[in-house]
């Protein structure tokens, strides 16, 4: 596997990190200690250690397929520092799938650090660049659809044309909810552009 392939060097949306056929989720302390959970994993691990990490405000992410849990990522927290140096994978997972999983979990670690004051993210011993985001264009089509829906609903419910005004206000607000967000690692995009020029 290439070094640091988990640092994405372009703008991306969270949906792009999803892996077809693999569902990611975080587990609770009780789940970590559950024998059925341990039995569904394709590798061995210390359940009490996972519970301790979760109890200390850390996270444990799992990847599940129809055959069971094939990967596990342990994210420990020390103040505002989030660290994921501990990973478990099923022996039959391909390097390509592991690389995709690494990208997604590295993003989640960086995202957790980005909402903490002076947050720091470490993934597989590498300090991740600061994660930033920007909002895409307003979704006018969805906003218009919501304006029409809410306008009609409030007009009928309130039995007055004034309901249209309330509907328009809510529709505009709902359009904001459907606006896309783009993420990028600060410095990584510029570095990629510099590499492309040479």
């Amino acid at each position: 596997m290439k070094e640091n392939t988990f640092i994405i060097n372009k703008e991306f949306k969270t949906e792009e990190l999803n892996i077809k056929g693999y569902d990611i989720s975080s587990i609770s302390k009780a789940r970590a200690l559950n024998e059925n959970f341990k039995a569904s994993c394709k590798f061995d691990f210390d359940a009490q250690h996972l519970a301790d990490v979760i109890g200390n405000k850390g996270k444990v992410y799992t990847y599940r397929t129809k055959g069971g849990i094939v990967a596990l990522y342990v994210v420990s927290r020390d103040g505002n520092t989030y660290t994921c140096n501990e990973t478990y994978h099923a022996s039959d997972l391909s390097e390509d799938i592991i690389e995709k999983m690494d990208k997604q979990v590295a993003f989640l670690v960086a995202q957790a650090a980005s909402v903490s004051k002076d947050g720091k993210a470490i993934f597989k011993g590498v300090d991740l660049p600061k994660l930033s985001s920007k909002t895409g264009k307003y979704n006018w089509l969805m906003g218009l659809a919501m304006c029409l829906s809410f306008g009609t609903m409030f007009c009928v419910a309130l039995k007055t044309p004034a309901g249209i005004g309330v509907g328009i206000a809510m529709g505009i607000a709902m359009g904001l909810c459907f606006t896309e967000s783009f993420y990028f690692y600060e410095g990584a995009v510029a570095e990629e552009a510099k590499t492309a020029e040479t």
Side-chain angles (χ1 to χ4, degrees):
M1 205 186 313
K2 297 172 198 169
E3 191 180 357
N4 301 353
T5 54
F6 44 81
I7 298 175
I8 302 167
N9 51 18
K10 63 181 180 77
E11 290 181 0
F12 61 93
K13 296 186 283 188
T14 55
E15 302 81 36
E16 294 173 33
L17 302 178
N18 294 334
I19 307 165
K20 190 175 180 182
Y22 296 85
D23 296 319
I24 185 173
S25 62
S26 61
I27 61 169
S28 66
K29 189 174 180 179
R31 181 96 171 118
L33 295 170
N34 185 293
E35 284 301 319
N36 290 334
F37 169 74
K38 190 161 187 173
S40 68
C41 293
K42 306 291 183 187
F43 40 77
D44 195 31
F45 59 88
D46 181 352
Q48 186 57 55
H49 170 62
L50 298 189
D52 292 343
V53 167
I54 296 166
N56 195 33
K57 299 184 180 178
K59 288 264 192 188
V60 174
Y61 294 102
T62 63
Y63 280 95
R64 176 183 288 279
T65 62
K66 291 178 183 175
I69 295 170
V70 295
L72 190 145
Y73 288 77
V74 183
V75 182
S76 60
R77 182 177 177 184
D78 182 13
N80 291 334
T81 301
Y82 298 80
T83 307
C84 181
N85 288 331
E86 191 178 347
T87 63
Y88 301 87
H89 300 99
S91 57
D92 58 349
L93 268 185
S94 71
E95 288 292 309
D96 183 50
I97 292 297
I98 293 172
E99 189 174 300
K100 289 177 181 177
M101 290 176 174
D102 285 355
K103 281 181 183 175
Q104 189 170 35
V105 177
F107 162 74
L108 293 171
V109 174
Q111 188 179 44
S114 71
V115 296
S116 297
K117 186 182 178 187
D118 301 322
K120 183 177 179 183
I122 302 168
F123 188 80
K124 293 191 171 181
V126 176
D127 287 3
L128 296 175
K130 184 179 177 187
L131 183 72
S132 293
S133 64
K134 68 178 188 178
T135 305
K137 293 178 182 174
Y138 180 80
N139 193 330
W140 287 105
L141 188 61
M142 190 58 72
L144 181 61
M146 290 293 154
C147 283
L148 290 171
S149 299
F150 283 118
T152 304
M153 183 180 74
F154 281 108
C155 194
V156 171
L158 299 174
K159 297 179 182 171
T160 175
I164 294 173
V166 176
I168 289 172
M170 287 193 70
I172 290 170
M174 288 299 291
L176 288 170
C177 296
F178 291 95
T179 301
E180 294 180 323
S181 290
F182 295 89
Y183 293 89
F184 60 94
Y185 290 103
E186 290 185 6
V189 175
E191 192 60 38
E192 173 65 10
K194 193 189 297 180
T195 305
E197 287 173 8
T198 54

